[in-house]
Amino acid sequence: LTTLTDDAWLALNNVADFATGLVTPSVRLGVTGLSRAGKTVFITALVHNLIKGGRMPLFEPMATGRLARASLQPQPDDAVPRFDYEAHVADMVDERVWPSSTRRISELRLTVAYESASYFSRTLGSGKLHIDIVDYPGEWLLDLPLLTKDYATWSREAVALSRLPNRARLAGDWHRRLEAADPAAEEDEATARGLADAFTGYLAACRADEHALSMLPPGRFLMPGDLDGSPALTFSPLVLEDDRVVPRTSMRAMMERRFEAYKTHVVRPFFRDHFARLDRQIVLVDALSALNAGPHAMRDLENALADILSCFRPGRTSWLASILTRRIDRILFAATKADHLHHTDHDRLQRVLKRLVKRAIKKAEFAGADIDILALAAVRATREGTVRRGGNALPTIIGTPMTGEIVDGERFDGKTEIAMFPGDLPKDPESLFAHLESESELEEAVAKVESESKHQPLQPESKLELSRAGTDVRYVRFRPPKLERSPDGLSLTLPHIRLDRALQFLIGDKLA
Ligand code: GDP
C-alpha cells in the first residue's frame, strides 16, 4: 500500500474530473432577449421546476418519470460569473418580488440524471446530461453588423436613424451636442464623454416602456456589463460632411479609434468566447410591450429579430462563420409574459410572434436550424376567472398588482388581489402590421432623411405624431404568484404556462 501525497491526490482527482467530463455529454443552452424580456425569470423558473419536480406534462422525460434527478453543479467556466439562482429564487418564492434583471453574461450548470427511453441505451445504464445555461443580453447580438461597417458608415446611419420622426424627439439633447461638435477639432475627453453620455441617454429613452424600440446598437451602451465607463464605450457618432482626411489628433480620429477598439475588444471576444460555443438557443421576446407601444416598436422589433437571426446563420465568408466551431441547430422564439392575457389569447400572441419572425426570416434570408415559436409565461402570476356583467360572462385574469401599481386610477399596495379583463389581441395579426406595409419603410426613411439632412439643420422636435397599433391590451404588473404543489405532492413549485413545451423543444431529444 502506498500513501499518496496531496499533490498526487489532486492530480488523480483532476484526471477523474476530466474523464467524467468526457463521458457526460453536455449541451450549451443560450438564453437571450432584449432587456426586460424575461431571461432571469425564465432561467430561474426552468431550473426550479426541474429541481423541484414541477408540473411539466409536455416535457416528456418528466411526464413519463424518466427524469430521476436534476441538481446544480459547479459550472465549468471559471471566467464567467455564475447565474445567481439562489438569490433569484429567494426573491420570487420568499419575498414574492421579481428578481433583478440580466445586466451581463452569466452561466449555470444543471446536471440531470435520467433513464433512457430506448432499450439499447437502457442496457448501457442510466444517462447523465450537463445543461450549461448561458444567460446574455440580446443587445449584444445586435452588434454583429457593426463588424462590417467603418466608423463613417455607422455614424451616418446612426445619425439618419435618430432623425426619423419617432426617434428625433428623444434625441434632442444629443442632436444639440452633435451640432456644436466639430469633427475636425482637437480631440477632447470631456467633449467625447458628453457626446457619449447624450447618445446613451437617447438610446435609453428609445428603450423606455412607452417607445419600446429594439434596434439600439451599440449593445454595450445600454448593457455595458463590466465595461461601464471604459474608453471603449466613450464614443458617439458625429455628423460627418464628407470623407475628408482629418489629423490623427482630431475628434473624429479619436471616435474612429474607439469605435474600432469596441469592435476588437468587446464585440469580437463576446462572439468568439461565448456565442460560438452554444448548441441551442431560446430568444425571449416581449411582444406585448412592443404591441402596446405601437407600430414603430413592432417594426423595430422585427428588424432586431432579423439581425438576431443573422447571427445564427452568418454569411459563409463572414468573420463569424470563420470562428464558429459548432452550429446552433434549434432556436426557439418565445413571446413571454403570456399570463398577462386570458388563455384564449395565448394562440393569438403566438401568431403575432410568428408573423414577426416569419418576416425576419425572410429579411435575414435565414435557412438551416429548426425554429419553433411559442407564447409562454415562465412564471404564471395570474389565475383565470369570469365576471358576470349584464348577463355576459367576461373572461378575466386574477392577480396581485405590485406595490405602487396604478390600475384604473387606483394605487395598489401589493396585498390586494384584483380580477380584470385583460383586453384582446386581434384575431388576425395582419391588422397590426397594416400601417407599415412597405417592406423597406425604414431604409426609405433613412435614405430620405439622409438626403434632406445634407442641406438642413437638425430638427430635434418633430411635429409628426404616429398612430398607435390597434391593440387594447392592458398591462398591469402583478406580483409573482404563490407556489403550487408539485404533481408528486412533495414540493412547492412555480406555476408557468408552456415552459414544459419550450423545454421539450430545446433539449427533449438530448434525453431520449
Ligand atoms: P431580463 O432583463 O430579460 O433578465 O428580464 P427579467 O427576467 O428580469 O424580467 C423583467 C420583468 O418582466 C420582471 O421583473 C417581471 O416584472 C416581468 N416578467 C418576466 N417574466 C415574466 C412572466 O413569466 N410572467 C410575468 N407576469 N411577468 C414576467
Side-chain angles (χ1 to χ4, degrees), residues 34-41 98-99 101-102 337 339-340 377-379 381:
L34 298 177
S35 65
R36 321 241 359 115
K39 300 177 287 294
T40 311
V41 173
W98 298 103
S101 301
T102 301
K337 313 181 194 180
D339 57 324
H340 285 271
V379 170

Side-chain angles (χ1 to χ4, degrees), residues 225-246:
D226 303 327
L227 291 168
D228 212 0
S230 92
L233 300 193
T234 314
F235 64 92
S236 151
L238 289 169
V239 180
L240 304 174
E241 291 291 309
D242 50 42
D243 286 330
R244 227 173 344 159
V245 180
V246 287

Side-chain angles (χ1 to χ4, degrees), residues 82-338:
R82 183 173 177 276
F83 180 84
D84 201 354
Y85 170 74
E86 291 78 7
H88 298 328
V89 167
D91 281 343
M92 274 202 275
V93 170
D94 302 339
E95 309 293 327
R96 285 185 63 203
V97 296
W98 298 103
S100 44
S101 301
T102 301
R103 308 287 307 165
R104 55 176 189 181
I105 189 163
S106 70
E107 196 179 317
L108 193 67
R109 168 167 279 191
L110 182 75
T111 303
V112 295
Y114 65 99
E115 291 297 329
S116 183
S118 73
Y119 173 76
F120 178 71
S121 311
R122 226 176 3 243
T123 54
L124 291 174
S126 33
K128 240 185 182 186
L129 176 73
H130 295 312
I131 306 167
D132 291 320
I133 303 173
V134 184
D135 172 26
Y136 66 93
E139 282 81 357
W140 297 2
L141 290 179
L142 300 179
D143 276 344
L144 186 67
L146 298 186
L147 294 181
T148 54
K149 284 177 192 163
D150 61 10
Y151 175 71
T153 311
W154 172 69
S155 223
R156 276 195 199 98
E157 285 178 8
V159 172
L161 197 65
S162 74
R163 287 171 174 164
L164 285 177
N166 61 323
R167 291 185 178 226
R169 59 206 158 102
L170 306 174
D173 177 37
W174 180 50
H175 281 170
R176 271 186 294 278
R177 281 172 194 266
L178 273 183
E179 242 178 309
D182 175 7
E186 188 72 7
E187 63 183 2
D188 173 58
E189 187 62 43
T191 314
R193 170 137 297 281
L195 279 163
D197 285 348
F199 179 51
T200 310
Y202 145 70
L203 295 176
C206 291
R207 184 75 199 131
D209 279 352
E210 63 272 33
H211 308 294
L213 295 178
S214 305
M215 282 298 287
L216 305 162
R220 301 281 173 142
F221 279 53
L222 292 182
M223 279 291 145
D226 303 327
L227 291 168
D228 212 0
S230 92
L233 300 193
T234 314
F235 64 92
S236 151
L238 289 169
V239 180
L240 304 174
E241 291 291 309
D242 50 42
D243 286 330
R244 227 173 344 159
V245 180
V246 287
R248 282 188 41 205
T249 55
S250 66
M251 209 54 209
R252 173 173 176 170
M254 178 198 211
M255 295 291 191
E256 222 154 43
R257 255 190 332 268
R258 290 182 173 181
F259 177 73
E260 291 304 324
Y262 180 77
K263 292 198 281 185
T264 310
H265 300 299
V266 180
V267 182
R268 285 204 172 88
F270 163 70
F271 279 98
R272 189 185 57 224
D273 301 339
H274 304 293
F275 181 78
R277 297 168 57 212
L278 300 175
D279 301 301
R280 299 275 159 98
Q281 177 70 54
I282 177 165
V283 180
L284 299 170
V285 183
D286 189 352
L288 280 174
S289 289
L291 274 166
N292 272 344
H296 282 280
M298 292 291 277
R299 170 54 61 110
D300 222 50
L301 178 57
E302 180 183 310
N303 286 326
L305 291 174
D307 271 10
I308 287 176
L309 268 171
S310 53
C311 298
F312 296 119
R313 197 60 83 246
R316 230 182 282 166
T317 54
S318 65
W319 169 80
L320 183 55
S322 76
I323 59 140
L324 281 185
T325 49
R326 35 181 141 184
R327 270 167 58 110
I328 292 177
D329 58 351
R330 286 192 183 188
I331 307 169
L332 178 64
F333 285 89
T336 51
K337 313 181 194 180

